[in-house]
Amino acid sequence: MLSRAVAHISAAALDHNLSTLAQRSGTRLLLPVKADAYGHGMEVVARRAAAHPDVWGLAVATPAEAETLARLNLGRPVLLLTPPAPEEVGPLADLGVRLPVGTLAEVDALPAHAQAHLKVDTGMNRLGARPADAVAVGRALAGRGQLEGIYTHFATADEPDLTFARTQLGRFRAVLDALPPALAHCANGGGVLSFGQIEGMSLARPGLAAYGYVPEHLRRVCPLRPVMTVRARVNQHHTVYPGETVSYGALWRAERETEVAVVGMGYADGYPRNATLKAEVLIGGERRPVLGRICMDQFMVDVTGLDVQPGDWAELWGEGDLTATEVARWGEVIEYELLTGVGGRVERRLA
Ligand SMILES: *Cc1c(COP(=O)(O)O)cnc(C)c1O
């Protein structure tokens, strides 16, 4: 079957971003490929990233993602970032997945062949051991030869004010100083871009930045390229006449004779419904408005005066003149939501 919508994944853009971020952090990368690699396709991205010299390993959020990734046998370590259920620990350890550990009970439950990364909660207050407890957990792991890494996560490193991130870093350093050497990592994309090299770190974990997106105030720090370009096909082309309306709710009314293209991607595919009456696409070499409500499987575009036929492609966002940042703004979501929301009907195609 032909695909109605395709997310083109640029290997060159991904390679460029990985090299750029590794250079900026002065470390190798532990690349987050959770949530289907931020919607880019976990297998496609993981295979490409695993062939990149600056990638040490891959990080995921759920045991199922860790299992899928480990079974690909890409020759790179896989770190699970959230605590597994007790019955998941053994199978994950058997697959070689590195496990996050934050309590002495988790240390005790760890199979002898498992490698762990001590998770320190320095202020995010989401996961891990508070600094006062982390040292004992880390010593227990080290004593058993299972302390491969030590990490924490910033709450505000992508914001202009880095005061709290620096406080978190100070707490993390105090824990590192009290433990035997291990792979230390703390920086998400915001951390890499804001701080550059952080003394004593072995790895960095940029996610969104690796896929090409950077907060406004950090755009000038280093040039990154959007990895995903989404295109959807025109399924039909027709004319509507003055006074007629288009789509649900009859929100848009033609003031003149209008050529309409129906494009095959809708909110079920991750094109945000809240972008209704704001969105534009690139079609026939121009930027043209989406007409009326965005539907589940399609939306309509004004292509008056353009040579557009069924089977042609519209570009919804990507490396060109129309970015995911813009679409996210129209849809009242952040880039993370837009990208991770790209649905299963959208084919991921590496190019
Ligand atoms: C998702 C995640 C990251 C990546 O964050 P970005 O903001 O996308 O750079 C890094 N570390 C952890 C623990 C995460 O959960």
Side-chain angles (χ1 to χ4, degrees):
M1 292 297 139
L2 295 175
S3 295
R4 290 199 148 178
V6 176
H8 298 268
I9 306 304
S10 165
L14 180 65
D15 288 349
H16 166 84
N17 295 346
L18 296 172
S19 302
T20 302
L21 291 163
Q23 191 175 26
R24 170 94 189 143
S25 67
T27 67
R28 293 180 82 198
L29 306 179
L30 175 46
L31 178 70
V33 293
K34 58 191 179 182
D36 206 20
Y38 288 50
H40 293 62
M42 184 168 76
E43 184 169 344
V44 162
V45 169
R47 283 191 188 285
R48 186 74 193 186
H52 195 289
D54 292 329
V55 173
W56 176 82
L58 303 161
V60 290
T62 72
E65 290 174 330
E67 181 182 3
T68 302
L69 200 49
R71 288 193 191 286
L72 294 178
N73 279 317
L74 298 176
R76 302 287 167 130
V78 173
L79 172 65
L80 175 64
L81 294 166
T82 66
E87 66 272 23
E88 291 166 337
V89 170
L92 288 168
D94 292 347
L95 286 164
V97 173
R98 275 60 169 179
L99 297 170
V101 166
T103 66
L104 287 170
E106 287 168 351
V107 178
D108 287 338
L110 213 55
H113 60 292
Q115 285 296 312
H117 287 223
L118 170 67
K119 176 68 187 282
V120 187
D121 190 340
T122 55
M124 176 82 174
N125 284 321
R126 184 171 69 176
L127 294 172
R130 298 177 80 89
D133 306 320
V135 174
V137 179
R139 286 197 180 128
L141 283 169
R144 297 163 49 135
Q146 295 183 291
L147 182 65
E148 182 179 55
I150 309 173
Y151 72 112
T152 192
H153 189 51
F154 292 123
T156 61
D158 57 351
E159 294 176 14
D161 182 348
L162 294 172
T163 311
F164 185 51
R166 287 187 209 287
T167 300
Q168 286 194 264
L169 188 55
R171 292 172 183 160
F172 186 49
R173 277 197 197 297
V175 173
L176 291 177
D177 289 346
L179 287 171
L183 296 171
H185 47 106
C186 61
N188 53 4
V192 172
L193 295 164
S194 297
F195 289 126
Q197 298 194 13
I198 304 176
E199 204 196 316
M201 297 303 138
S202 336
L203 300 169
R205 306 185 310 269
L208 190 70
Y211 300 101
Y213 295 91
V214 178
E216 188 79 48
H217 69 286
L218 294 169
R219 294 266 150 83
R220 294 227 293 266
V221 169
C222 56
L224 298 171
R225 293 174 53 184
V227 173
M228 179 195 289
T229 297
V230 175
R231 298 197 182 97
R233 233 181 243 278
V234 173
N235 303 321
Q236 186 182 303
H237 178 272
H238 59 248
T239 307
V240 299
Y241 296 93
E244 293 183 340
T245 62
V246 168
S247 195
Y248 292 117
L251 296 180
W252 184 86
R253 185 178 300 272
E255 287 173 5
R256 52 167 170 76
E257 197 171 303
T258 304
E259 302 294 314
V260 174
V262 183
V263 175
M265 179 154 164
Y267 62 77
D269 304 299
Y271 197 72
R273 184 173 176 276
N274 282 342
T276 290
L277 299 182
K278 290 179 265 180
E280 297 173 342
V281 299
L282 298 176
I283 188 165
E286 290 189 13
R287 208 182 238 261
R288 287 302 184 92
V290 173
L291 303 176
R293 270 252 153 85
I294 290 158
C295 306
M296 183 186 292
D297 313 303
Q298 54 220 315
F299 57 78
M300 280 61 87
V301 178
D302 182 346
V303 293
T304 306
L306 299 179
D307 178 22
V308 170
Q309 308 297 328
D312 288 353
W313 294 90
E315 186 168 312
L316 279 54
W317 71 76
E319 204 175 357
D321 291 336
L322 203 170
T323 65
T325 305
E326 241 179 313
V327 179
R329 198 173 300 130
W330 291 328
E332 296 159 38
V333 293
I334 58 172
E335 291 133 332
Y336 294 83
E337 291 173 279
L338 182 73
L339 297 171
T340 59
V342 174
R345 299 191 299 190
V346 180
E347 181 193 339
R348 273 67 168 180
R349 202 181 284 167
L350 189 75

